[in-house]
Amino acid sequence: PLQLHLFLSIDLSPRIASLHKAHDAPTVFGVTTGAPAAPAAAATAAAAAAAVPMRVIQGRRFDYVVKVAKNSAELRSVASLRSRVFREDYDRVIKMDDSLQGVQRDRVLSTVEWDRLERRTQGGLVCVGAWLGEKCEVELEERILEESDRSAQLVGGGPVIGALDVVFGADGAEDLPQDVRSSGQGLLAYVSNVGVLGPCRCTGVAGSLLNFAVEAAATRSASRVYTHAIDLHGRSSLYHKHGFRRVSEAAAELEGHSGAVLLCKELR
């Protein structure tokens, strides 16, 4: 049976994403708690962000589609991805019986994250995913399918290969992490839980997801986009390549993650 050794008000999303290889997404933190109702401005921002058209990306080895996950089936696909990409991080906050292993364990973790996404998207969170397209090298496709849960794959579509979350809030909003709330003016966007399936890392998927999130924030006239990261690669990191700059060390709520920094991209 699933045993949750934590207060039920705590968000069960992973507090850090798994470390990616060089030039892919550095670790990003998801630090929001509970599922608070979004203020009117944030809810409007989320609705505008969800209206951003999907993007078809034609890569060298495979094609993929980047879009907002808008229904339960798409959110389930993202949750399934995270049960694999963030497995070690879930293990830190969720205690399960040792008899649950492998696919069975992943599906329990996926169900927990699916429930979180269902609740949080109703409160204004925007979940952005990347789905594999029709063109893909045969060997790579086999690796992707091997690491994916086919039971969570969309009917008539490819598996999800990457995802991130975006939350909107006015300056001072409780939906935002502590060190973001007082760091800007007007409407702000915060990106978290960036994750890419192993075989698809270092291929530009994380950058495409981030570009989509920034465009969604700009569509709603957000003044800044923030994120937390373990800045492993300095100025060669994904975020610096996309115009993010270091603001400060991470706040106290992120202590324990060596090298954690707050990054920001100015939009206007």
Side-chain angles (χ1 to χ4, degrees), residues 62-65 130-136 141 144 157-161:
F62 61 94
D63 295 344
Y64 57 99
V65 175
W131 277 266
L132 187 66
E134 293 183 0
K135 189 194 83 172
C136 184
E141 184 175 15
I144 291 172
V160 64
I161 58 175

Side-chain angles (χ1 to χ4, degrees), residues 151-174:
S151 71
Q153 189 170 324
L154 299 178
V155 176
V160 64
I161 58 175
L164 59 74
D165 293 337
V166 188
V167 64
F168 294 88
D171 190 24
E174 293 185 0

Side-chain angles (χ1 to χ4, degrees), residues 72-81 83-84 103-104 106-108 110-111 114 131 144-160:
S72 187
E74 292 173 345
L75 293 176
R76 184 190 176 201
S77 294
V78 171
S80 178
L81 168 78
S83 72
R84 289 159 166 73
V103 174
Q104 189 179 22
D106 287 341
R107 287 182 178 173
V108 171
S110 175
T111 299
W114 185 17
W131 277 266
I144 291 172
L145 293 175
E146 183 178 349
E147 292 198 22
S148 302
D149 181 359
R150 298 196 186 191
S151 71
Q153 189 170 324
L154 299 178
V155 176
V160 64

Side-chain angles (χ1 to χ4, degrees), residues 5-177:
H5 288 206
L6 69 169
F7 294 107
L8 294 181
S9 62
I10 294 179
D11 193 332
L12 298 180
S13 62
R15 293 205 173 251
I16 60 173
S18 62
L19 293 176
H20 296 171
K21 297 179 181 179
H23 308 301
D24 206 346
T27 296
V28 179
F29 300 84
V31 297
T32 56
T33 59
T44 302
V52 175
M54 70 177 186
R55 297 286 182 265
V56 178
I57 311 297
Q58 297 180 331
R60 182 175 62 85
R61 302 182 65 192
F62 61 94
D63 295 344
Y64 57 99
V65 175
V66 179
K67 62 179 182 178
V68 174
K70 296 182 179 179
N71 57 52
S72 187
E74 292 173 345
L75 293 176
R76 184 190 176 201
S77 294
V78 171
S80 178
L81 168 78
R82 289 177 174 170
S83 72
R84 289 159 166 73
V85 174
F86 300 154
R87 184 181 290 117
E88 293 181 1
D89 305 299
Y90 277 114
D91 286 343
R92 294 191 184 101
V93 295
I94 301 177
K95 179 66 175 178
M96 288 188 286
D97 191 280
D98 291 338
S99 64
L100 289 173
Q101 298 294 332
V103 174
Q104 189 179 22
R105 185 181 184 86
D106 287 341
R107 287 182 178 173
V108 171
L109 294 175
S110 175
T111 299
V112 172
E113 174 63 6
W114 185 17
D115 177 69
R116 183 195 77 90
L117 284 171
E118 291 275 14
R119 290 183 291 109
R120 292 287 286 141
T121 51
Q122 291 176 12
L125 178 141
V126 176
C127 178
V128 181
W131 277 266
L132 187 66
E134 293 183 0
K135 189 194 83 172
C136 184
E137 293 179 356
V138 175
E139 182 180 350
L140 178 59
E141 184 175 15
E142 290 176 351
R143 292 174 57 204
I144 291 172
L145 293 175
E146 183 178 349
E147 292 198 22
S148 302
D149 181 359
R150 298 196 186 191
S151 71
Q153 189 170 324
L154 299 178
V155 176
V160 64
I161 58 175
L164 59 74
D165 293 337
V166 188
V167 64
F168 294 88
D171 190 24
E174 293 185 0
D175 279 358
L176 300 172

Side-chain angles (χ1 to χ4, degrees), residues 195-244:
V196 176
L197 198 67
C200 300
R201 292 173 186 167
C202 306
T203 61
V205 173
S208 296
L209 288 166
L210 190 59
N211 282 337
F212 191 98
V214 170
E215 181 180 350
T219 297
R220 187 58 186 95
S221 299
S223 60
R224 299 177 182 181
V225 181
Y226 286 91
T227 190
H228 283 103
I230 293 180
D231 198 12
L232 297 177
H233 313 297
R235 293 187 176 276
S236 66
S237 73
L238 167 76
Y239 297 106
H240 285 98
K241 288 179 179 178
H242 288 80
F244 284 77

Side-chain angles (χ1 to χ4, degrees), residues 186-200:
L187 187 71
L188 308 175
Y190 178 72
V191 172
S192 64
N193 296 330
V194 179
V196 176
L197 198 67
C200 300

